[in-house]
Amino acid sequence: MASGRPVALVTGASRGIGKATALDLAAGGFDVAVAARTAVDGRGRSDTDPGLTLPGGLDTTVAQVEREGGAGLAVAVDLLDRPAVLGAVAATVERFGRLDVLVNNAIYQGPGTLARFAEVTDDELWALLEGNVVAQLALIRAALPHLVERGGTIVNLVSGAGHLQPPAKVGEGGWSLGYAMSKAAFGRVAPVLHVEYAELGVRVFSVDPGWTITERTVAAGRAAQYSRRFTPGTPDVIARAIRWLVTDAEADALRGKAVMAQDEVQERQLLGRWPPPISQDRPWEERDRET
């Protein structure tokens, strides 16, 4: 039954930035549908690290959304399963009667994500493009009629990997070619959609989270290799930037642009404890916040 509250659909919300965003939006007055592959906490498995169990699940995210005051809906979605992707929008509208916000946070995590050029296959490259670009476009296409009706918002999570020179090889603090090219393609979506849909009232943003330590990063033991080079944020910092974009008309000045989440949180003092103090022996921390 519809509650009258605005409704958000957040993908990749079993853990990390997606989960934190779902919780922050719920605290901000939204009902939230959450989508991911891991339905039950404790059953998450890493495609890139065989045998690694990942914390988090849609069940625990929904429970926490409801503790924050919002109604929650769990939708199991694999980005390579097109009917499931499209079904996420249909299930959200069926449950809540509306859709006001789409947050495209989920990414493909399968084979090829961490492969160097000589090792990545054509099939893996196609999967990366499907899971990081084409699936998101399908979600947007399904959501747009509802977002046009509501004057809604699209938030696409992008990455510095799509336009920055990697500081090292993948596995040593850098990123793979397949991942970089897919994120570069996805980074062009918001600017074009802004031009095409702004006059219809749809607000579209790219959000670059910068280097962010998530449960997956910690579980995989990769936090140290990146933190040597970049100042890490945490999922709740990125979530607060997304909530600000979604709820504050002042953010309209950034429509169609790539929003540096950590910078906005710091400059606008959206979280009192952010940023952490700069370490005297790591002076590069202030300037090197990128993924």
Side-chain angles (χ1 to χ4, degrees):
M1 181 180 298
S3 68
R5 290 160 58 101
V7 174
L9 169 59
V10 182
T11 68
S14 57
R15 62 186 66 88
I17 292 171
K19 178 177 181 177
T21 298
L23 300 185
D24 212 337
L25 289 176
F30 282 75
D31 291 333
V32 188
V34 292
R37 289 188 301 169
T38 306
V40 179
D41 191 3
R43 297 184 182 176
R45 299 292 183 270
S46 172
D47 294 316
T48 53
D49 300 276
L52 181 66
T53 299
L54 301 173
L58 294 178
D59 57 342
T60 53
T61 301
V62 167
Q64 289 179 258
V65 162
E66 293 175 348
R67 284 198 292 272
E68 293 291 348
L73 173 69
V75 186
V77 172
D78 186 323
L79 291 172
L80 301 187
D81 182 345
R82 183 58 57 80
V85 169
L86 299 178
V89 172
T92 301
V93 175
E94 180 179 2
R95 168 65 175 82
F96 297 112
R98 59 191 286 176
L99 179 61
D100 300 81
V101 173
L102 172 63
V103 180
N104 276 309
N105 169 70
I107 59 172
Y108 173 73
Q109 299 279 4
T113 303
L114 299 178
R116 295 184 184 181
F117 177 65
E119 302 162 349
V120 68
T121 68
D122 287 353
D123 286 344
E124 290 168 348
L125 289 174
W126 280 115
L128 276 159
L129 289 171
E130 175 69 28
N132 288 347
V133 185
V134 183
Q136 286 80 0
L137 294 179
L139 262 177
I140 292 170
R141 191 184 302 276
L144 267 171
H146 307 284
L147 299 176
V148 169
E149 178 184 355
R150 311 298 309 184
T153 301
I154 299 169
V155 177
N156 292 334
L157 273 291
V158 297
S159 171
H163 63 90
L164 294 174
Q165 181 74 12
K169 297 176 182 178
V170 63
E172 299 175 7
W175 40 81
S176 70
L177 174 62
Y179 177 74
M181 60 187 277
S182 68
K183 297 307 286 187
F186 192 48
R188 302 313 305 151
V189 173
V192 175
L193 289 184
H194 170 64
V195 171
E196 294 187 2
Y197 284 91
E199 63 186 18
L200 296 178
V202 178
R203 307 164 74 246
V204 190
F205 302 95
S206 293
V207 169
D208 187 336
W211 165 232
T212 304
I213 293 180
T214 66
E215 301 96 320
R216 175 185 291 273
T217 313
V218 173
R222 295 197 182 94
Q225 69 172 258
Y226 292 103
S227 295
R228 286 195 301 268
R229 302 175 186 277
F230 305 116
T231 301
T234 51
D236 58 323
V237 174
I238 315 310
R240 184 52 55 90
I242 293 172
R243 175 174 164 179
W244 173 73
L245 290 171
V246 167
T247 60
D248 195 328
E250 189 174 342
D252 282 350
L254 299 175
R255 290 167 65 175
K257 299 179 180 179
V259 178
M260 300 304 296
Q262 295 184 33
D263 290 347
E264 292 298 329
V265 172
Q266 176 182 357
E267 291 171 10
R268 298 176 186 278
Q269 299 182 334
L270 301 178
L271 278 177
R273 60 173 182 76
W274 180 260
I278 301 299
S279 172
Q280 294 302 309
D281 61 348
R282 297 176 66 183
W284 62 85
E285 288 184 338
E286 180 70 15
R287 63 176 182 272
D288 286 343
R289 294 191 183 130
E290 307 290 351
T291 58

